[in-house]
Amino acid sequence: CFEDDKLIYCQKITISSYTWMVLVIFYLQCIGFVPCLQCPHFLKVHGVVPDASKNRWDGINGLNTAFVTSLIVQQRAIWKTPKRFLGIPVSFLLSGFFTFYAYHFPYQSTAASIRLGRCMLQKTVFQSARLWRMCIEDPFETHDSNCPHDLGIHLSLTGQAIVLNELKNAAEQMSTMFANNTVILACFRNYFNLLKLQSNDPKRESDVLANGDKRYVHNKRHSRQNKMPQKDEVKNQYIEDTLTMNGGH
């Protein structure tokens, strides 16, 4: 789909990069990884009162464009990332994204809305929606605004088939990669070998050697090598994490 001779063709019959970004946010909202920044209750508890007459960013082109900024979320500390997601590998989230849209998102009947952080029935929001394709509400050009925009409207029958097929392929490849621990183990081994090479690079410790503190250099290298995970430790930890993420199956 992304070969040079097909790029323009795919852009016309599938979805844009902006739409993919919206789908990523919606997926993260559905699993509870990020909040819904446009939710009226979320706005209220964070002390954000939309007023386009005082803040032009709250009402661009007559649209409701108010939301809680990340800075306010951090400062108020009312919402925090759930503990279950702390330290989760990005690769697991990516795998979940592909699996979510390939097998779980009911695109035949619902529309994705990051404004609400949940699904909506297609025909109750966009009359132009079709049961055979994805329906995705623009977060600002909403279905009840003066310029409603369904981001999935550019999908053709062929385009929808391409998107769904690529999502399934990606989900299966990620699943195979996780199941085949030798692939992951090789990645880990290359990463740790690189760290070891860097720790033994004399240029990285030239300043210390210049000061004559050879004992410090020896201790630092010895400490790093002791902390380096062994092959079996990395493999066992990966298997344990994989079983945990898959519910122990």
Side-chain angles (χ1 to χ4, degrees), residues 26 36 51 77 98 120 179 223 229:
F26 182 71
C36 179
D51 188 346
F98 293 136
M120 304 180 294
S223 175

Side-chain angles (χ1 to χ4, degrees), residues 19 22-27 29-30 100-101 105-107 109-122 125-126 133-139 142-143 149-152:
T19 304
V22 171
L23 289 176
V24 169
I25 295 173
F26 182 71
Y27 156 67
Q29 287 177 332
C30 287
F100 176 76
Y101 285 109
F105 178 67
Y107 70 88
S109 59
T110 62
S113 172
I114 65 173
R115 173 179 62 93
L116 300 176
R118 58 177 174 80
C119 295
M120 304 180 294
L121 289 176
Q122 281 187 10
V125 290
F126 289 107
R133 67 165 174 83
M134 286 184 171
C135 181
I136 306 125
E137 182 188 49
D138 185 279
T142 58
H143 72 93
H149 187 188
D150 172 11
L151 297 173

Side-chain angles (χ1 to χ4, degrees), residues 205-219:
E205 293 162 354
S206 59
D207 291 340
V208 179
L209 286 172
N211 294 330
D213 195 353
K214 296 182 180 179
R215 181 179 177 184
Y216 173 78
V217 175
H218 171 77
N219 290 339

